[in-house]
């Protein structure tokens, strides 16, 4: 099992490097970056449900299979399990049902790659949580890394949720194209939803303090940063009045 865990981490790193190299040249062909007449697609809502779903069963099955067999999982482990599952209930189930642009398509290749990544990532992080010595006692709840990580994660989730809401409400009147988002973190960056997601996972990574958590933070950055830059360029190309003071994803920096 440990060999499989390390193999999963290596594959995730390679996937992150491949994603970074590919998306720096051209944004992934979904959402606003889809090409006209793109083939092999499916509806966006079931696509989200499908490729996020492994995080539920992969993480849960691995967690309960590798948790300490005698005493059972600690309170810290149970908290992190609940936090992980709650995030993916929102991301994979609630968020797709909040979407208004249900007519949009999603590439099948992105669904397949997302499914495989989430399968590996759910396994790796659950295995790490179940085996980390520092997570086996309640002392970790009062560790500065856990407390700082929790504060950062909550802030990131709130930014992400608000950004999702702003983007969803842009189509509340039935509008089916794109508009300039305003409010929340969109005051400073073009990809406020990605900014919130990055902050969230940096906070969770700090709370976990595991190699698997750090690898996931790396993949998140490799995946979302280039896409945020592509969004920023797209907005500037399509809206002459786009706010010039906005950055792409990190306020005041990038």
């Amino acid at each position: 099992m440990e060999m499989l865990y390390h193999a999963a981490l290596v594959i995730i790193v390679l996937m992150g490097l491949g994603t970074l190299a590919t998306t720096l040249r051209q944004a992934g062909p979904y959402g606003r970056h889809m090409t006209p007449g793109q083939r092999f697609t499916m509806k966006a809502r079931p696509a989200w449900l499908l490729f996020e779903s492994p995080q539920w069963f992969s993480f849960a099955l691995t967690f309960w299979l590798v948790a300490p067999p005698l005493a059972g999982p600690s309170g810290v482990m149970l908290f992190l399990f609940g936090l992980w599952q709650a995030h993916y209930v929102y991301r994979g189930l609630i968020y797709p049902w909040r979407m208004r642009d249900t007519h949009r398509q999603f590439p099948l290749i992105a669904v397949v790659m997302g499914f495989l990544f989430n399968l590996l990532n759910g396994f790796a992080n659950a295995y790490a949580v179940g085996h980390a010595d520092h997570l086996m006692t309640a002392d970790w709840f009062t560790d500065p890394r856990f407390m700082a990580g929790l504060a950062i994660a909550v802030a990131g989730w709130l930014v992400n949720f608000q950004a999702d809401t702003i983007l969803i409400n842009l189509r509340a009147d039935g509008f089916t194209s794109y508009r300039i988002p305003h409010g929340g973190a969109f005051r400073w960056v073009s990809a406020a939803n990605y900014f919130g997601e990055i902050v969230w996972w940096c906070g969770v990574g700090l709370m976990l303090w595991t190699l698997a958590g750090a690898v996931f933070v790396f993949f998140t950055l490799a995946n979302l940063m280039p896409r945020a830059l592509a969004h920023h360029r797209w907005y500037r190309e399509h809206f002459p009045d786009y706010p010039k003071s906005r950055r792409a994803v990190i306020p005041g920096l990038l």
Side-chain angles (χ1 to χ4, degrees):
M1 184 72 77
E2 186 174 356
M3 289 181 62
L4 187 60
Y5 164 68
H6 289 294
L9 293 183
V10 171
I11 294 171
I12 292 170
V13 169
L14 293 176
M15 291 177 75
L17 292 172
T19 299
L20 180 63
T22 302
T23 54
L24 280 174
R25 294 195 303 270
Q26 182 178 0
Y30 59 92
R32 73 195 67 202
H33 302 291
M34 286 190 74
T35 56
Q38 190 168 320
R39 301 173 62 192
F40 308 113
T41 63
M42 63 184 293
K43 291 288 187 182
R45 179 175 287 168
W48 273 93
L49 290 167
L50 183 58
F51 78 73
E52 296 282 19
S53 64
Q55 291 285 8
W56 303 327
F57 63 80
S58 179
F59 192 97
L61 287 175
T62 305
F63 179 83
W64 291 111
L65 286 173
V66 305
L70 297 178
S74 68
V76 175
M77 292 177 178
L78 289 173
F79 178 85
L80 293 171
F81 172 82
L83 190 72
W84 191 280
Q85 297 297 84
H87 174 78
Y88 280 103
V89 165
Y90 170 72
R91 182 52 60 196
L93 187 61
I94 297 173
Y95 173 73
W97 287 102
R98 297 182 71 205
M99 295 167 61
R100 297 184 187 274
D101 50 347
T102 55
H103 66 287
R104 294 189 179 275
Q105 297 292 114
F106 204 90
L108 283 175
I109 184 63
V111 175
V112 172
M113 294 303 294
F115 186 94
L116 292 175
F117 167 77
N118 283 315
L119 192 68
L120 287 171
N121 191 53
F123 159 74
N125 275 280
Y127 183 91
V129 169
H131 281 78
D133 290 340
H134 62 282
L135 301 180
M136 292 184 179
T137 69
D139 292 344
W140 187 248
F141 278 129
T142 57
D143 188 281
R145 290 164 290 185
F146 179 89
M147 293 188 290
L150 180 59
I152 293 168
V154 169
W157 191 88
L158 291 173
V159 169
N160 181 254
F161 182 81
Q162 183 185 44
D164 283 348
T165 302
I166 290 170
L167 292 173
I168 289 167
N169 287 339
L170 290 177
R171 298 193 174 102
D173 58 358
F175 189 71
T176 58
S177 189
Y178 290 92
R179 291 167 166 161
I180 299 174
H182 295 281
F186 285 110
R187 297 182 184 93
W188 307 290
V189 293
S190 297
N193 51 335
Y194 293 163
F195 171 59
E197 188 87 359
I198 289 168
V199 172
W200 158 261
W201 284 118
C202 285
V204 173
L206 195 55
M207 294 167 67
L208 295 172
W209 202 253
T210 61
L211 180 58
V215 166
F216 188 21
V217 170
F218 162 74
F219 182 91
T220 300
L221 293 171
N223 182 36
L224 296 186
M225 297 282 270
R227 189 164 181 83
L229 292 170
H231 276 21
H232 189 59
R233 290 192 298 269
W234 187 92
Y235 276 122
R236 288 190 165 184
E237 290 169 1
H238 288 79
F239 297 98
D241 59 338
Y242 193 70
K244 290 182 171 53
S245 61
R246 285 190 192 179
R247 300 293 185 178
V249 64
I250 301 177
L253 294 178
L254 180 65

